[in-house]
Amino acid sequence: MIKRSLLFILMIMGLLITGCIKETYNMRMLSKKAHISPTLAISAVKGDISFSDVVKSSDTVVFDKDKLVILVFKKDSVIDLKLSDFTKATIQKTATIDPNSYDLNLGDVMNHISGTVKFFNPSIKFNYTNSFPDPVKISLNVTAKGKNSTVPLNLSPFTLSKPNLPVQQEVTTTFIIDKSNSNLPDLISLPPETINYSGTAVITSTVKDKGIENYAIGANRLTGSLEIDVPMDLSLNNLQFKDTVNNFIKNNSGDNPLDPADFQLLLINVSTKNGFPLGATLKMSLYDSSTKTEKSTVEATKHLDPAPIDGNGKASGVTETTTSFEFTSVFFSNVNKADKIIFTVILNTTGTTPQEVKIYSDYRINFNAALVVKPDINFK
């Protein structure tokens, strides 16, 4: 009786606040056995959110001067070679770049993802300092391991810049690896959980010039680091993200004054103005882990449509969408039969065939949500 009364009080509060209860009831019946099922409409939530409101600029997420979003991953000390690391050959001296790996810490995320993502313009900056006066050629063997496959970088050997002796003792510069000289877009589009690398460095001795010694004993060294830049210049084709959480709706203790069974219907109506070139489908499933079955699923009646884009893949306006999430009595009857809830989001970029789009930090989405509730109240 306590929880029925509390539910009724909440219903009356909704009446006083919103004036949206359409049915009328004989209040004298409340002293007897009664059953009422009013419908309440409540303006619940409205908001206007930009990408930069949700994701802040950091060492890993960078907004460039045009506000394009770029993911940045860095690996220090991928190469550290001294003259003593090379063989003693006269013409060509070879050193080994020991096998190593770089964990991008995406393993947990990848366990929840399926579908296809393609990044169009990733790059790797090999930042190095070289004090060897002779040409140094680097051969790198790089592979990326994803959840189900491995992709090679296919980078040809490249020669480093060398110092201009005697006026310059070392040179610090960058070699760029991108789609023009490698298989990098396919490698990054796995997406990779780890990147494995190894290789060799070969010094080819040249004839001494103007009496300058090729090597100052103990002074020659090559050090290098990597910076992986992944601009959010991409396409998504049914990229599905699933996350499983404990059933927070379930009444485990029995002392909750509100029970899911008290509702015949709960409807959330959502209107959006989407400035992102990303469309989304949302659903929520009650899951029984003991039987590995989905007991009931609620899915948006219409997917969130993406914004239109211009010829450069940038959003050029907003798209308005109205959709609903309907939680019926069937859903509520299964709440206490499930110990988990699975949330699923499916993303696609603009176009029937997903097009290349760019994500900028000033993209916005405006939304209004209204709640329609039909409780089922029995006074005994």
Side-chain angles (χ1 to χ4, degrees):
M1 181 63 181
I2 293 176
K3 69 178 180 180
R4 305 296 179 194
S5 301
L6 177 56
L7 187 61
F8 180 74
I9 292 169
L10 292 176
M11 181 193 75
I12 295 300
M13 289 175 63
L15 170 63
L16 296 175
I17 294 172
T18 67
C20 291
I21 299 179
K22 304 304 181 184
E23 292 87 346
T24 58
Y25 298 92
N26 184 350
M27 301 304 288
R28 295 176 183 176
M29 291 295 296
L30 296 181
S31 61
K32 305 176 183 179
K33 182 176 181 180
H35 174 214
I36 59 177
S37 183
T39 300
L40 300 88
I42 306 168
S43 180
V45 179
K46 62 174 56 179
D48 186 83
I49 299 174
S50 72
F51 183 94
S52 58
D53 290 334
V54 178
V55 180
K56 300 300 181 183
S57 179
S58 65
D59 291 340
T60 305
V61 181
V62 174
F63 308 147
D64 75 2
K65 60 182 179 59
D66 297 318
K67 299 182 180 179
L68 179 67
V69 180
I70 302 173
L71 303 183
V72 178
F73 305 91
K74 296 181 179 181
K75 174 69 172 177
D76 295 329
S77 301
V78 295
I79 291 180
D80 188 354
L81 298 174
K82 300 179 288 294
L83 183 59
S84 58
D85 295 316
F86 288 81
T87 59
K88 306 299 183 181
T90 303
I91 303 300
Q92 285 194 333
K93 301 174 173 62
T94 302
T96 298
I97 301 170
D98 293 331
N100 209 330
S101 64
Y102 179 31
D103 189 344
L104 275 66
N105 296 314
L106 298 178
D108 184 59
V109 174
M110 297 309 300
N111 288 335
H112 299 276
I113 286 180
S114 62
T116 303
V117 57
K118 182 172 180 60
F119 294 100
F120 289 91
N121 288 298
S123 65
I124 297 177
K125 297 175 183 175
F126 175 54
N127 303 308
Y128 65 91
T129 297
N130 178 30
S131 63
F132 287 99
D134 284 329
V136 179
K137 180 176 285 189
I138 302 295
S139 297
L140 286 178
N141 302 312
V142 181
T143 59
K145 183 179 183 302
K147 184 166 64 173
N148 298 312
S149 60
T150 299
V151 172
L153 181 60
N154 291 339
L155 175 68
S156 298
F158 57 95
T159 301
L160 304 181
S161 298
K162 62 180 182 176
N164 182 22
L165 295 176
V167 295
Q168 187 183 38
Q169 296 301 307
E170 65 180 26
V171 60
T172 298
T173 187
T174 298
F175 178 79
I176 302 295
I177 304 167
D178 57 21
K179 64 183 178 182
S180 68
N181 57 12
S182 72
N183 193 35
L184 187 60
D186 287 342
L187 184 148
I188 296 297
S189 297
L190 267 173
E193 296 180 18
T194 58
I195 295 176
N196 302 307
Y197 61 90
S198 62
T200 59
V202 177
I203 297 174
T204 301
S205 297
T206 58
V207 177
K208 296 180 182 179
D209 185 25
K210 298 180 181 179
I212 300 171
E213 291 295 326
N214 277 34
Y215 301 105
I217 295 177
N220 302 116
R221 190 175 184 183
L222 170 62
T223 59
S225 62
L226 295 179
E227 178 182 312
I228 304 172
D229 293 342
V230 185
M232 292 292 94
D233 178 2
L234 49 77
S235 68
L236 304 177
N237 187 6
N238 290 328
L239 187 71
Q240 180 173 283
F241 178 82
K242 278 190 173 184
D243 195 20
T244 303
V245 300
N246 290 329
N247 184 356
F248 53 85
I249 307 174
K250 185 177 182 179
N251 185 1
N252 293 309
S253 61
D255 58 0
N256 189 339
L258 292 179
D259 192 292
D262 292 325
F263 297 96
Q264 285 188 9
L265 172 71
L266 189 151
L267 184 69
I268 303 174
N269 293 320
V270 183
S271 298
T272 65
K273 294 179 179 179
N274 183 18
F276 287 78
L278 301 174
T281 301
L282 311 173
K283 64 180 181 179
M284 168 183 173
S285 301
L286 296 172
Y287 183 73
D288 182 354
S289 60
S290 63
T291 60
K292 294 182 171 55
T293 56
E294 292 185 6
K295 307 300 291 186
S296 185
T297 296
V298 173
E299 186 170 354
T301 55
K302 187 180 188 304
H303 70 272
L304 180 68
D305 290 325
I309 58 174
D310 61 20
N312 295 315
K314 185 175 183 178
S316 58
V318 299
T319 298
E320 297 187 25
T321 302
T322 298
T323 189
S324 299
F325 298 87
E326 184 176 342
F327 299 82
T328 64
S329 57
V330 174
F331 178 88
F332 289 120
S333 68
N334 282 286
V335 165
N336 289 329
K337 300 175 184 177
D339 60 324
K340 301 290 183 182
I341 294 177
I342 300 174
F343 290 99
T344 304
V345 181
I346 302 174
L347 297 175
N348 286 283
T349 46
T350 301
T352 305
T353 299
Q355 299 178 36
E356 176 183 355
V357 305
K358 295 180 174 69
I359 306 300
Y360 290 84
S361 63
D362 58 352
Y363 284 167
R364 310 189 73 85
I365 183 169
N366 176 279
F367 62 91
N368 288 278
L371 184 66
V372 178
V373 182
K374 190 175 181 65
D376 187 20
I377 311 170
N378 286 288
F379 289 87
K380 299 177 181 179

